Amino acid sequence: MNKPNTWAQWPDEKGRFGEFGGRYVAETLMPLVLELEDEYRAAKKDPAFLSQIDDLWRNYVGRPSPLYHAERMSEHFGGPKIYFKRDELNHTGAHKINNCLGQVLLAMRMGKKRIIAETGAGQHGVATATVCARFGLKCVVFMGATDVERQKPNVFRMKMLGAEIVPVSSGTGTLKDAMNEALRDWVTNVHDTFYVIGTAAGPHPYPELVRDFQSVIGQEAKSQMMEREGRLPDAVMACIGGGSNAIGLFHPFIEDEGVRLIGVEASGHGIETGQHAAALNGGKPGILHGNKTYLLQTDDGQIIDAHSISAGLDYPGIGPEHAFLRDTGRAEYLTCTDKEALEGFQLCTRLEGIIPALEPAHAIARLGDVCETMDKDQILIMNLCGRGDKDIFSVAEHLGMEI
Amino acid sequence: MPTSRITARFDKVRAEGRAALVSYIMAGDPDLETSYKALCALRDNGADIIELGAPFTDPMADGPAIQRAGQRSLKAGTKLTDVLALAKRFREDDKDTPLILMGYANPVFHLGYGAFADAAADAGIDGTILVDLPPEEDHELREAYARHEISVIRLATPTTTDKRIAKVAEGASGFLYYVAVAGVTGSGSADPEDIREGVERARRVSGLPVCVGFGVRTGEQAAAMAAIADGVVVGSAFVDHVRTSLEAGTPDEIPSKIGALAAELSGALADTRRN
């Protein structure tokens, strides 16, 4: 694939990042998707919209999140200076709320009164339910039945926040099935409903607008780094499910070609076992949930269920911009197994006194390998995109410990 | 281009002064042999056009009935190439009944648009409806179809605006499929009067016959819809016969049950002669 004129020019007017992205939705949804695009273009230029979201990020979410020098982690690996972008300190405990706020404000601009969302780990569901409570909007969250079972604390949080939880038992009852059901609901209630997609995927303009709302992570990290070190980092790194926290960190650095962009996919029990969630490393291009991107699929184009210890990474696809960044070579994509992620989880907890979510534990677990490729005087930023409170039960179970 | 099977069929139906019965079954549900017999039963009992469902793991636009039909078919191991082989077998001794393959984009994309177009033409497929391939995204498929007589059947819905219908009509052929209700397949039924205007506009702008589907299950509903449409699509009601026969432990009865429903529906449509 040819190198584009600028990395930041995408998506094009068709919603494409190179050959990926697009708007692969049923005709019933097309008018709404086009309307959303118009509304988003207008909102981006509206100072009132921008100042409202800025105020909420600052005073409701708690932004900017700190950029923390993980001293003991840096010493442990003996390589570059490691910084954590502390998005786990956000209200609701993860980066998800950055995007939810933006989308719910858009929904209100469009006069929609009912919000739907899909959720895997429950972080996006909790964030959406939280913002809906804040603005008095009806909120319906679709969640795979398997995930409802393994993420009980978040299910309870959403209920307390006034959201209706719809357990989805079709398919394997995980994130992709929840997304199918959310799309079915949207098609049925298109007149009054806004679909808040949780990751940088789906039909255009979702990958673009989710990326833009999450880019607050990378913009802050960039200016904090300039302030602290007076220079750009040499590498930025994040875990990838759909890829919203990663693209939010990457995008403000995308034109700075000296900065390595490193994503870490969940390889579950190992790519060779077929039980994983590494769409870029173990999938092929295809069409699902509104976009063309890398997907886990059979030789007949049927979607394969993903597997990851982390419910938030348990998805057979990936945001289309990551597919593009992979094929052009602008970003690197590594993998991490369930077992390695558990080790990363424990390492960070012991060395830094920060209990990470299992999602960023995948990035933490690959820090050692990445550090080996870097010099001592270099700098790496890793996005600590979520905190681990929600995962303590499943981690205890995997470690054979009783709570 | 010589007159396509689809055009010829609408000419015939129009000459008879009635609306066409467009029936849907899922290929390979519960197995390909039963599907073949069901196709024959549909044709023998008055189905004018047959939509053959190709299963997909993630049918976002389908309600529970067709979701489960797809799962049964996938469980039986049905592949896209099997669906084409089933069409080809039917086409061997039926040269007239239009066959429309209906499904989702990914299996077709995965096979390759060019390879699929060649195989579909060879199998005697007359058109396709790929639900998640809107006009904005079907350009490559249409290029592949241009070498054959395969129609891209487009969908119009109650949310399709005046401005948008032109986009939907551009490059469409065969007929337009008007989705009567905003929702998934098998969901609530529409009042024909509520969609009359949308259907007329779709027909006027496209110059194509317009078939109405979603929520039509009985002869009575089909007859009512025939007042405004050139064809009436029935899907979930046929598929439900597969499920109930399987649950009753009588899979052998599937073709006859499907045939009986086709007879009831086509009888109801025959009574709507408008001339």
Side-chain angles (χ1 to χ4, degrees):
Chain A
M1 196 178 286
N2 292 329
K3 183 178 172 277
N5 295 327
T6 73
W7 292 104
Q9 79 189 48
W10 308 92
D12 64 16
E13 72 283 357
K14 290 176 175 167
R16 299 217 169 240
F17 303 88
E19 66 167 303
F20 300 105
R23 305 181 189 93
Y24 295 88
V25 292
E27 183 57 35
T28 311
L29 294 177
M30 269 312 284
L32 197 74
V33 165
L34 295 170
E35 187 193 342
L36 174 60
E37 189 181 347
D38 291 343
E39 195 65 42
Y40 179 55
R41 300 268 169 261
K44 271 212 295 199
K45 287 187 221 142
D46 178 357
F49 178 82
L50 297 175
S51 81
Q52 189 183 14
I53 193 165
D54 196 59
D55 176 69
L56 287 162
W57 273 342
R58 188 171 292 276
N59 300 310
Y60 189 64
V61 177
R63 305 209 70 92
S65 67
L67 185 71
Y68 164 72
H69 178 206
E71 230 170 317
R72 294 194 68 209
M73 208 70 145
S74 306
E75 271 169 34
H76 178 79
F77 292 117
K81 206 170 184 180
I82 298 170
Y83 280 91
F84 287 167
K85 179 64 177 159
R86 300 286 305 275
D87 254 54
E88 99 281 10
L89 292 175
N90 292 341
H91 181 39
T92 70
H95 68 291
K96 293 290 185 184
I97 197 162
N98 303 334
N99 162 51
C100 287
L101 267 174
Q103 288 197 45
V104 168
L105 294 182
L106 274 179
M108 291 193 293
R109 276 178 75 100
M110 294 172 79
K112 305 289 184 187
K113 303 272 189 257
R114 179 175 176 270
I115 302 294
I116 59 170
E118 85 293 340
T119 197
Q123 293 304 99
H124 175 60
V126 168
T128 307
T130 297
V131 178
C132 287
R134 165 66 182 77
F135 289 103
L137 298 169
K138 182 170 171 49
C139 178
V140 180
V141 178
F142 294 88
M143 189 168 186
T146 313
D147 291 335
V148 169
E149 201 47 46
R150 62 177 171 176
Q151 301 288 342
K152 281 181 185 161
N154 274 343
V155 172
F156 182 69
R157 280 187 193 103
M158 287 186 274
K159 283 183 181 161
M160 293 300 290
L161 289 160
E164 179 192 336
I165 314 297
V166 181
V168 178
S169 51
S170 59
T172 46
T174 59
L175 183 53
K176 96 176 162 79
D177 308 297
M179 201 155 175
N180 289 335
E181 211 54 40
L183 284 163
R184 290 180 189 122
D185 180 289
W186 198 24
V187 152
T188 308
N189 299 294
V190 70
H191 59 286
D192 71 343
T193 295
F194 188 99
Y195 182 14
V196 175
I197 295 184
T199 194
H204 179 66
Y206 281 100
E208 178 187 352
L209 67 87
V210 174
R211 174 197 74 196
D212 291 352
F213 290 136
Q214 292 293 3
S215 288
V216 67
I217 300 170
Q219 282 152 8
E220 286 175 8
K222 197 171 185 175
S223 68
Q224 288 166 325
M225 181 55 63
M226 292 308 288
E227 207 172 288
R228 294 276 282 278
E229 300 276 356
R231 70 176 186 90
L232 292 173
D234 299 284
V236 297
M237 185 166 170
C239 65
I240 309 237
S244 71
N245 97 81
I247 203 71
L249 177 64
F250 291 179
H251 202 258
F253 293 100
I254 208 161
E255 300 278 12
D256 304 309
E257 295 202 33
V259 180
R260 284 168 70 188
L261 312 176
I262 306 168
V264 182
E265 291 191 293
S267 53
H269 295 313
I271 288 185
E272 69 287 355
T273 66
Q275 293 180 300
H276 63 88
L280 289 172
N281 284 284
K284 287 184 186 138
I287 296 162
L288 181 71
H289 293 155
N291 56 179
K292 185 184 285 182
T293 187
Y294 277 83
L295 299 171
L296 303 182
Q297 55 186 316
T298 66
D299 290 344
D300 196 42
Q302 303 294 342
I303 307 305
I304 299 174
D305 288 308
H307 164 81
S308 169
I309 188 171
S310 147
L313 305 181
D314 204 347
Y315 180 68
I318 176 87
E321 193 162 12
H322 287 295
F324 170 71
L325 293 177
R326 173 213 140 106
D327 277 12
T328 52
R330 176 65 188 94
E332 312 157 46
Y333 294 93
L334 312 175
T335 62
C336 169
T337 64
D338 289 351
K339 193 166 162 283
E340 292 169 320
L342 279 169
E343 288 163 13
F345 178 94
Q346 294 172 87
L347 186 73
C348 182
T349 304
R350 293 283 176 85
L351 286 183
E352 295 292 349
I354 298 171
I355 301 179
L358 279 171
E359 290 80 14
H362 285 73
I364 293 163
R366 277 282 81 76
L367 275 172
D369 298 324
V370 171
C371 287
E372 272 183 28
T373 67
M374 296 176 72
D375 296 330
K376 246 187 150 66
D377 60 353
Q378 291 191 306
I379 300 171
L380 176 150
I381 300 175
M382 194 209 77
N383 193 22
L384 198 60
C385 61
R387 58 178 174 245
D389 311 34
K390 70 182 173 63
D391 293 315
I392 55 171
F393 300 100
S394 65
V395 170
E397 197 186 314
H398 284 284
L399 296 178
M401 292 162 78
E402 274 186 36
I403 291 186
Chain B
M1 207 196 263
T3 308
S4 74
R5 269 188 286 265
I6 299 173
T7 308
R9 182 51 49 105
F10 277 106
D11 287 347
K12 170 177 177 277
V13 166
R14 201 172 294 121
E16 291 171 13
R18 62 182 177 87
L21 172 60
V22 183
S23 57
Y24 170 98
I25 58 164
M26 174 65 75
D29 173 26
D31 56 67
L32 291 160
E33 189 57 35
T34 305
S35 292
Y36 177 72
K37 289 177 184 156
L39 286 178
C40 296
L42 286 171
R43 183 223 17 231
D44 297 342
N45 288 282
D48 296 296
I49 295 172
I50 300 176
E51 292 177 1
L52 192 53
F56 184 50
T57 39
D58 294 79
M60 286 97 69
D62 285 306
I66 294 178
Q67 284 176 44
R68 289 192 203 114
Q71 282 167 3
R72 288 191 296 265
S73 174
L74 289 171
K75 203 173 162 199
T78 311
K79 298 190 169 205
L80 183 57
T81 45
D82 296 324
V83 181
L84 293 172
L86 172 65
K88 189 170 180 170
R89 183 179 170 195
F90 177 77
R91 185 58 78 216
E92 272 166 19
D93 47 35
D94 184 305
K95 307 295 181 201
D96 303 317
T97 308
L99 274 180
I100 313 295
L101 185 140
M102 184 165 185
Y104 292 81
N106 197 52
V108 171
F109 172 76
H110 196 78
L111 186 61
Y113 291 145
F116 174 78
D118 294 346
D122 178 59
I125 295 280
D126 301 288
T128 61
I129 304 171
L130 298 177
V131 180
D132 51 350
L133 212 59
E136 280 79 357
E137 304 292 353
D138 70 8
H139 182 72
E140 288 167 70
L141 186 71
R142 278 189 289 140
E143 272 181 12
Y145 283 0
R147 290 178 281 126
H148 307 284
E149 281 174 45
I150 305 176
S151 295
V152 169
I153 314 279
R154 294 261 181 78
L155 302 170
T157 80
T159 61
T160 307
T161 57
D162 280 5
K163 191 176 146 209
R164 176 129 190 104
I165 190 68
K167 178 92 185 166
V168 169
E170 185 194 331
S173 57
F175 62 91
L176 278 192
Y177 187 140
Y178 193 90
V179 174
V181 290
V184 293
T185 53
S187 52
S189 54
D191 181 338
E193 286 313 310
D194 292 343
I195 57 168
R196 176 189 288 274
E197 207 181 306
V199 170
E200 280 173 3
R201 186 177 60 203
R203 189 187 291 117
R204 189 172 63 242
V205 175
S206 68
L208 294 170
V210 177
C211 297
V212 176
F214 279 43
V216 183
R217 302 186 63 88
T218 65
E220 199 181 338
Q221 287 170 323
M225 212 49 99
I228 61 158
D230 303 292
V232 179
V233 189
V234 179
S236 295
F238 283 110
V239 165
D240 277 343
H241 277 301
V242 178
R243 179 178 55 84
T244 53
S245 299
L246 289 172
E247 283 170 2
T250 53
D252 292 349
E253 291 179 7
I254 290 169
S256 60
K257 289 266 175 66
I258 282 176
L261 177 59
E264 179 204 326
L265 293 164
S266 64
L269 291 178
D271 290 343
T272 61
R273 284 173 190 277
R274 282 171 282 187
N275 298 337

